[in-house]
Structure formats: structure tokens, C-alpha cells
């Protein structure tokens, strides 16, 4: 953890709790910090994981906007807090993902300082999910919430908040080991560490997995070389994707981390609505044969954005995907935006391609299903 963060932060191994992946770690922290019916603030857009199903917590969005690159502001935090107050919800903390999923951006020092100042004022917790910390492939570099807290000398000057800062990490993204299900919680709060340790028995990391990983991670030369090569390849893949999308008239949010790009497809919408966004997503899925994550699924406040993952594709596959998107964009510009009348032949082709997909795919893609999983 320390090396990924530039050795700028010192971690005490006694404050570390293992969990069966980052999802399990996040849920364990929520169980420890928040009672059912209380609230957590979450900046938008955010990964559509379900933290409320078993915990019973309420998620209150901190609405971020494209006008400033979806950056967190103090006014956005205050607005979200007031929304929770209006709903008679007690806010217990704010949960961030840094680097962001789906934006692929690292948080600035200014944003982190906003969060710290806000948490001090409201007497709440900060949970920082840093599972993509090792994927940063371009400047600016990654700043952990713990580094920002140390710069503010919270350990000595505000020990209360120092004990309310918690980090979630995993080996799934940085080392490409999602199947190993190795996540972790780091907290300076002894009570949280004790409770999370007891709860970890419901999601243990096997002793065989721990033995294998301890031997692998002990090889510092290998892990260092692996991380550097991974970052180099991610940067190269992202540049290919951005270049290919640009030739199709699509722009991406400037990013420096992660396995994905945040793509602006507003010009392809039939109207500035989430219904039009869903229609565009279904059209690209069924007619182009590409699956992307619609912005509404990530609780984005504005329609027309999509998360496009690129890391797992070969260069040849990525080129095919770009060619399909380019052809689709050209057809769309000739016939009008998606949602306008299409030819009978196109309708027949669309119907044929839909038959190739099983019924459960269409069921899962429905707006009703999306509502159930929020």
C-alpha cells in the first residue's frame, strides 16, 4: 500500500483487516459506521454497486457536474448534506472512490481538503475506496486521503477526524487478481478495526490464497516491474481508445487512471433525457454489438455519458470496436439522431440481432431492473 502511494504514507499493519474483496470491505465498514436508516454521501457519478441492500443505509448523492469536470466542491457537499437533513436522515459519512470509477480521474489536493474540512465541520467519517490507486498512468499523481490528512497534521491537531478516516483497498485492479477476492480495510480507529476483524469471519481470505500472495508480493522486483508495465499498457490502450473515439466525433473526459474512459455521446441522443440515453445504449448493444455502461447506471446527473472499458481488450479487438463505433456514428449522422425513424431493413436487422440475445439480457437491461438494484 505504501509503495503505491509513493511511500509518502506510513501504514501500521495492526490497523489492517483483510476481507473477501473491496465490495466486502466497503460493506463491512458501512456495517461498522452506519446504522440502518442513516445516510452516507456519495459523489456522482459512482460505480453502481449496492451498498444499501444488506446494510439498510440510505445513499444521498453529491451531485457533480461536467462544467468543472465532475469535481467535488464544497457547495455540492453542503447541498447534499442539506438534502439529507430535509429527508430527516442523519449523515454518518462520505464515501469517495479515488481514482474515480467511472471517471478515471484522481482527486486533487483541493478536493481532498474540501472533504477533510467538511468532515470536521459535520463530525462525520470519510471512507476512501482506493482500489485503482496503482493504475495511475499519467500526471497528476495519486494522493491518498491519508496523505492529505497527514499534510493537515490531523493526527496531532485533530485526532478525532484522524480516527474517522478509513481506506478500502484491493489487489483486483492493480495486480489483475479479481478472482482471488483479496480486499482490505485500513483504519486508525481501534474500535472499527476490532469490529471489522470480527466481522471478517463472514468473508475470509483463504490461508492458501494468503500464502500464495505473500510469496508473490515478497518479490519486490517483480511487483515493481509488473506495476510499471501495467501502467504503461493502460496508457497506451487509453490513447488508442481516445484517438479512435475522436475520429468518430466522440470526446472523452481527460483521465489519468483506471481501466475505462468517460465518453461524451450527447450528440447522439434524440433528446436531452435519460430515456434517450437508455435508447442509445440499447441500440449500440443490439445493433453495434458493444456493451457500455450508461451514465444513469452510474447515477450521473446529466444524460449522454457512457463508461467504456478498454483494459481487457487486445489491440485487434479494440480496433474492431472503434471501427464499429465509427460506422455507427456515420450512419447516425446521415439518418439523424437515435430515436428518429429508421428504415425497414434496419428494423429487421435489429430484430434479428435481438433474437441472438437471451431474454434475461433484455430483462436485466430494463429500466425497471435498474430501479430495483439502486
Amino acid at each position: 500500500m505504501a509503495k503505491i502511494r509513493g511511500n509518502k504514507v506510513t501504514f501500521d499493519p495492526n490497523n489492517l483487516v483483510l476481507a473477501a474483496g473491496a465490495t466486502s470491505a466497503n460493506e463491512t465498514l458501512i456495517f461498522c459506521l452506519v446504522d440502518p436508516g442513516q445516510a452516507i454521501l456519495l459523489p456522482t457519478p459512482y460505480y453502481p454497486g449496492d451498498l444499501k441492500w444488506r446494510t439498510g443505509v440510505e445513499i444521498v448523492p453529491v451531485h457533480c457536474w461536467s462544467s468543472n469536470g465532475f469535481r467535488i466542491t464544497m457547495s455540492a457537499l453542503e447541498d447534499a448534506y442539506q438534502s439529507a437533513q430535509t429527508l430527516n436522515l442523519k449523515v454518518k459519512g462520505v464515501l469517495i472512490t479515488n481514482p474515480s470509477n467511472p471517471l478515471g480521474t484522481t482527486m486533487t489536493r483541493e478536493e481532498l481538503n474540501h472533504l477533510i474540512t467538511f468532515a470536521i465541520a459535520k463530525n462525520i467519517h470519510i471512507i476512501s475506496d482506493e482500489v485503482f490507486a496503482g493504475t495511475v498512468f499519467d500526471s497528476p499523481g495519486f494522493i491518498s486521503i491519508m496523505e492529505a490528512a497527514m499534510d493537515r497534521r490531523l493526527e496531532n491537531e485533530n485526532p478525532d477526524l484522524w480516527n474517522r478516516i478509513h481506506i478500502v483497498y484491493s489487489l483486483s485492479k492493480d495486480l489483475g487478481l479479481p478472482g482471488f477476492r483479496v480486499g482490505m480495510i485500513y483504519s486508525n480507529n481501534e474500535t472499527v478495526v476490532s469490529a471489522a476483524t470480527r466481522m471478517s469471519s463472514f468473508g475470509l481470505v483463504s490461508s492458501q490464497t494468503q500464502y500464495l500472495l505473500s510469496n508473490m508480493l515478497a518479490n519486490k522486483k517483480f511487483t515493481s516491474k509488473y506495476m510499471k508495465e501495467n501502467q504503461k499498457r493502460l496508457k497506451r490502450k487509453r490513447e488508442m481508445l481516445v484517438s479512435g473515439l475522436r475520429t468518430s466525433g466522440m470526446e472523452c473526459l481527460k483521465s489519468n487512471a483506471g481501466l475505462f474512459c468517460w465518453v461524451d455521446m450527447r450528440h447522439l441522443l434524440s433528446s436531452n433525457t435519460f430515456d434517450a440515453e437508455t435508447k442509445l445504449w440499447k441500440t449500440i448493444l443490439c445493433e453495434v454489438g458493444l456493451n457500455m455502461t450508461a451514465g444513469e447506471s452510474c447515477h450521473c446527473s446529466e444524460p449522454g455519458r457512457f463508461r467504456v472499458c478498454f483494459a481487457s481488450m487486445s489491440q485487434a479487438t479494440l480496433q474492431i470496436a472503434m471501427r464499429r463505433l465509427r460506422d455507427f456514428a456515420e450512419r447516425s449522422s446521415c439518418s439523424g439522431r437515435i430515436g428518429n425513424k429508421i428504415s425497414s431493413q434496419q428494423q429487421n436487422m435489429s430484430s434479428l440481432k435481438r433474437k441472438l440475445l437471451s431474454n434475461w439480457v433484455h430483462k436485466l437491461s430494463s429500466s425497471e431492473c435498474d430501479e430495483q438494484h439502486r
Side-chain angles (χ1 to χ4, degrees):
M1 288 179 71
K3 187 169 184 179
I4 290 173
R5 289 152 182 79
N7 291 315
K8 298 177 181 178
V9 181
T10 301
F11 292 99
D12 183 349
N14 293 318
N15 295 346
L16 196 66
V17 181
L18 292 182
T23 299
S24 176
N26 272 309
E27 188 179 65
T28 297
L29 265 179
I30 296 297
F31 272 123
C32 291
L33 304 177
V34 191
D35 289 327
Q38 294 179 336
I40 285 287
L41 306 183
L42 221 62
T44 65
Y46 58 86
Y47 178 74
D50 195 345
L51 285 176
K52 58 184 292 185
W53 176 47
R54 296 203 302 178
T55 63
V57 304
E58 297 297 328
I59 304 298
V60 177
V62 179
H63 291 291
C64 302
W65 306 91
S66 60
S67 56
N68 72 341
F70 298 97
R71 293 295 178 182
I72 299 172
T73 63
M74 188 62 80
S75 60
L77 290 167
E78 289 287 354
D79 287 346
Y81 190 86
Q82 291 304 317
S83 295
Q85 297 287 89
T86 301
L87 296 170
N88 287 322
L89 295 173
K90 182 176 182 179
V91 176
K92 294 299 294 290
V94 56
L95 191 160
I96 59 171
T97 304
N98 180 31
S100 168
N101 178 9
L103 299 178
T105 55
T106 50
M107 293 184 67
T108 63
R109 193 172 295 275
E110 181 182 22
E111 288 178 284
L112 294 170
N113 280 325
H114 283 331
L115 287 164
I116 291 171
T117 301
F118 180 75
I120 292 173
K122 305 303 182 185
N123 194 33
I124 61 176
H125 296 266
I126 299 175
I127 301 173
S128 182
D129 185 332
E130 301 181 356
V131 297
F132 290 98
T135 68
V136 179
F137 51 77
D138 210 343
S139 60
F142 172 73
I143 305 172
S144 171
I145 186 64
M146 202 62 73
E147 180 184 342
M150 291 177 69
D151 288 346
R152 295 274 292 261
R153 299 179 180 176
L154 294 183
E155 185 175 9
N156 298 319
E157 298 183 7
N158 198 315
D160 285 344
L161 181 60
W162 179 255
N163 290 327
R164 297 198 308 272
I165 293 177
H166 321 279
I167 292 177
V168 169
Y169 185 63
S170 162
L171 301 182
S172 298
K173 315 302 180 186
D174 292 349
L175 291 179
L177 299 172
F180 279 49
R181 307 309 302 156
V182 179
M184 56 205 76
I185 296 168
Y186 186 88
S187 176
N188 295 310
N189 190 312
E190 291 182 7
T191 303
V192 170
V193 170
S194 177
T197 299
R198 294 183 180 187
M199 290 188 66
S200 68
S201 61
F202 296 103
L204 293 172
V205 180
S206 73
S207 56
Q208 292 89 343
T209 299
Q210 293 186 51
Y211 178 79
L212 175 63
L213 287 173
S214 64
N215 279 277
M216 185 183 78
L217 295 176
N219 188 337
K220 305 295 183 184
K221 183 178 180 180
F222 164 76
T223 53
S224 178
K225 182 178 179 181
Y226 179 94
M227 297 288 289
K228 289 179 181 177
E229 181 63 25
N230 187 46
Q231 291 161 2
K232 186 192 303 181
R233 293 186 185 188
L234 286 174
K235 184 176 182 179
R236 185 164 64 244
K237 283 279 188 68
R238 183 198 174 275
E239 289 172 349
M240 285 180 58
L241 177 65
V242 171
S243 176
L245 289 171
R246 188 168 289 136
T247 61
S248 304
M250 304 173 195
E251 293 294 331
C252 297
L253 180 72
K254 182 176 174 54
S255 60
N256 64 322
L259 319 177
F260 32 72
C261 281
W262 191 239
V263 186
D264 185 352
M265 296 188 179
R266 287 176 295 170
H267 61 293
L268 295 175
L269 298 181
S270 58
S271 61
N272 190 35
T273 63
F274 286 109
D275 284 342
E277 178 184 277
T278 300
K279 187 178 293 184
L280 175 60
W281 172 77
K282 288 183 177 179
T283 301
I284 293 176
L285 174 65
C286 298
E287 296 186 8
V288 185
L290 299 176
N291 190 14
M292 302 177 291
T293 307
E296 186 180 20
S297 296
C298 297
H299 308 271
C300 186
S301 304
E302 306 170 34
R305 267 81 179 184
F306 292 81
R307 187 189 72 162
V308 177
C309 299
F310 57 80
S312 62
M313 288 188 284
S314 67
Q315 181 172 332
T317 302
L318 186 57
Q319 289 173 342
I320 292 171
M322 291 301 96
R323 185 173 67 246
R324 289 185 184 182
L325 268 180
R326 184 171 61 251
D327 293 344
F328 170 74
E330 289 174 355
R331 292 198 308 271
S332 299
S333 63
C334 293
S335 60
R337 293 182 174 183
I338 301 303
N340 294 342
K341 185 177 179 181
I342 58 177
S343 69
S344 175
Q345 182 180 7
Q346 286 176 307
Q347 289 176 343
N348 291 336
M349 284 295 293
S350 177
S351 176
L352 177 61
K353 288 175 180 176
R354 283 191 178 90
K355 290 178 181 178
L356 297 176
L357 297 172
S358 58
N359 290 331
W360 68 266
V361 170
H362 298 293
K363 185 177 181 181
L364 284 176
S365 69
S366 68
S367 57
E368 291 82 2
C369 180
D370 185 54
E371 286 293 330
Q372 291 173 3
H373 285 79
R374 284 185 179 174

